Structures are given as structure tokens and as C-alpha cells.
Amino acid sequence: MTMPPEERLGSHLKRAEQELMAAKTAAVRPAGLTVPQYAALLALSGSPGISSAGLARACLVTPQAMTVLLRNLEEAGLVERSPHPWHKGLLEIHLTESGRGALARADGRAVLVERALAEEFSPEERDRLVDMLGRCARVLSTLR
Amino acid sequence: MTMPPEERLGSHLKRAEQELMAAKTAAVRPAGLTVPQYAALLALSGSPGISSAGLARACLVTPQAMTVLLRNLEEAGLVERSPHPWHKGLLEIHLTESGRGALARADGRAVLVERALAEEFSPEERDRLVDMLGRCARVLSTLR
DNA sequence: TGGCGACCATCAATGCTTTGATAGCGTCCT
DNA sequence: AGGACGCTATCAAAGCATTGATGGTCGCCA
């Protein structure tokens, strides 16, 4: 209507992110994982025993989305949930052995994608890109 | 595991895109549209009579995703589908009056988001950002 | 102690997206 | 003419994500 797509920064941003998702999806798929599942397992490995809500915050999704995701992971035997020692109603989440294996397999290939992406740029360019992306996120979040 | 999140360009890219989606979702919601619906209506307004498959290509989604999306738009009375004059089985898609109205309302607010984003950067920065995002998409697509 | 507010977990409805499979129609080439 | 190939459209199943609503638990504080 009033603004051509090539002028919309959002179009370019979306396109890049779409390719990123496609590449990562292909990377983690052989491990039997989806990208969100991989992200959750990765966060979980860094914070064992974290709650579902905490994991949701770490992965930048809603608690509801994480509930669904965790149910799938639990049914696949990749994570376990156990009641919190003194806080009734809370659940601690832990990786299973099988979960650790799947994460390791997925991570190896996912890191290759990140490395290929990083190697496209010089260190100065990387810094500039990270800075600009951060500014995008900041200005957009103020609009919300 | 082997690579901290802050070093992963993908994390920053994803974060920025997530904020973009949130801002756009909030922008087009008052018009009763979702972001993908808005994108489809926008593409449709530029190519009246385009097929579902063509629209899917224009929006960078699969034909199946577009079928679902169009069904919702058709049920909402925002688009119409009519059989192709001589090619049986093909369907031409057109905006309805109501669809044009919703698009106009959504577009006005969506453009504000794009403008706020654009104004965060100088023209030189914008060019650099677009260039770098294009390089991201290119290198990632070769991995696929 | 009683209550209020914050947080956690979960159900339900809706929508987008993907992969996989099926089926019709056209075009081009043998 | 017949057949292969390609494009279109659609169904089905599964996962991810959102909003909205519910019910349970803790902790602080009047």
C-alpha cells in the first residue's frame, strides 16, 4: 500500500530469521528434535531443576507454550518432572540420560550452523550486526 | 554446551524478529487480522486474481499453510475465490470490500511500526543492516 | 490469623506452519 | 495418442504459539 516490501526492514529481518529456522530445523532434526525443543533442552542443561515457568522465560515463550513442549519431551523420555521438595505444586525438571544424548547430538550440528553464520562476517561486522539487532529489539519493544 | 547464547548470532536475530512479530501482531490486531493474514492481504492487493500457490510463494510459506490461512480469510469474508476462466481446478483470489477495509486499517498501523524501526537507524546504517541480513539469509540458505 | 497479591501449572480454543499423501488438470515430448 | 512431468489444490497429523480463564500454593503484612 504505502510502503514497498524492500523498504521494510521487517521484511529483511523476517527473511533472515526464516532461513535461520530452516537451517536449524534441518540441523536438529536428525536428533529427533524440533528447534524449540532443542532450545528448551539447552536451557535446561544450564539450569537443572528449573521450573516450567522459568524455562519459558529463558526461552522467551509463554508458560502455556512451554507446558505443551515439555509434555512432548516428557512423553519422548527426554526430560523428567519431579515434585519440588517443599513447595507443593511446583515441579522440578531434569534432563534424562536420553535427553542429554539427544541434546549433544543436536547441539553439535546446531553449532555448525551458528559457526557458518558467524564466519560470514568479520569480527567488527559481527559486533555491528549484534548492536543493530539489539537496537531493533529495543525500539520495537517500546512500541508494545 | 559448546557455545554461549550471546555469541550466537542466531539468538540476536531471533530476539529481534520476535519483537518485530509482537509489535506487528499488536499493530494489526485492532483490524481483526493476524500478521500472516495481513501479509497475504497485502500481497493480494498487489496481485489481484493470483492463485493460492502464487500467494504462498509471495509470502514465503508453503501452499498448505496458505490454504488454511485463506480458508480463515474466506470465512471472515475478506477474500473471495472464483474458478479460473479456462483452467479448471485453478482458483482466482480477490479481495472483498471488507477485505480492502481491514487491510487499509491494518496497514496504517503496520507502517507505523516499520517507520519507528527505520527511524532508529541512519540511512547508511539501514543499508548496512539490510546488506548484512541478506548475507545471513544467503549463507543460511546454502546450508539447507 | 486472615487476606491479598504474586507466581506456578494447566485446560481450552484458535491459528500458523510443517511434512506427507492424494488427486485433477495442462503441457510437452516421444 | 499416450505418457511423463509439473503445477494446483486439498486432506490429515503433529508441533508451536497465542489469548483467556481456572485453581492451587506461598509469602508478606495488616
Side-chain angles (χ1 to χ4, degrees), chain A residues 103-125:
Chain A
L103 173 56
R105 260 176 292 138
D107 193 60
R109 309 191 44 155
V111 165
L112 291 184
V113 173
E114 283 291 343
R115 267 212 262 283
L117 184 53
E119 282 169 8
E120 170 70 20
F121 302 98
S122 72
E124 298 76 32
E125 284 180 319

Side-chain angles (χ1 to χ4, degrees), chain B residues 77-80 94-101:
Chain B
L78 303 182
V79 303
E80 282 174 341
H94 290 276
L95 279 175
T96 62
E97 263 322 303
S98 170
R100 253 180 289 274

Side-chain angles (χ1 to χ4, degrees), chain A residues 34 36-37 62 64-65 72 86-88:
Chain A
T34 65
Q37 287 172 348
T62 59
Q64 291 90 329
N72 289 329
W86 22 296
H87 194 314
K88 280 186 158 184

Side-chain angles (χ1 to χ4, degrees), chain A:
Chain A
M1 305 274 284
T2 63
M3 202 176 188
E6 326 81 52
E7 273 182 27
R8 304 195 182 201
L9 280 179
S11 304
H12 298 274
L13 191 50
K14 179 154 204 163
R15 177 102 171 74
E17 202 272 345
Q18 212 160 33
E19 292 291 350
L20 175 67
M21 277 298 291
K24 285 222 170 171
T25 298
V28 301
R29 163 172 263 195
L33 296 177
T34 65
V35 174
Q37 287 172 348
Y38 163 65
L41 292 183
L42 189 57
L44 188 52
S45 77
S47 309
I50 194 176
S51 70
S52 169
L55 207 47
R57 278 190 296 273
C59 295
L60 301 171
V61 301
T62 59
Q64 291 90 329
M66 189 53 68
T67 296
V68 175
L69 198 159
L70 282 176
R71 181 164 53 229
N72 289 329
L73 285 178
E74 192 172 22
E75 281 169 5
L78 303 182
V79 304
E80 281 173 342
R81 287 193 278 187
S82 46
H84 189 286
W86 22 296
H87 194 314
K88 280 186 158 184
L90 265 68
L91 294 174
E92 283 185 337
I93 307 169
H94 290 275
L95 279 175
T96 62
E97 263 320 301
S98 170
R100 253 181 289 275
L103 173 56
R105 260 176 292 138
D107 193 60
R109 309 191 44 155
V111 165
L112 291 184
V113 173
E114 283 291 343
R115 267 212 262 283
L117 184 53
E119 282 169 8
E120 170 70 20
F121 302 98
S122 72
E124 298 76 32
E125 284 180 319
R126 272 201 290 278
D127 289 347
R128 273 213 305 268
L129 181 52
V130 168
D131 172 66
M132 288 200 271
L133 290 174
R135 285 162 66 192
C136 285
R138 194 175 49 70
V139 66
L140 288 168
S141 71
T142 64
L143 259 59
R144 220 179 352 161

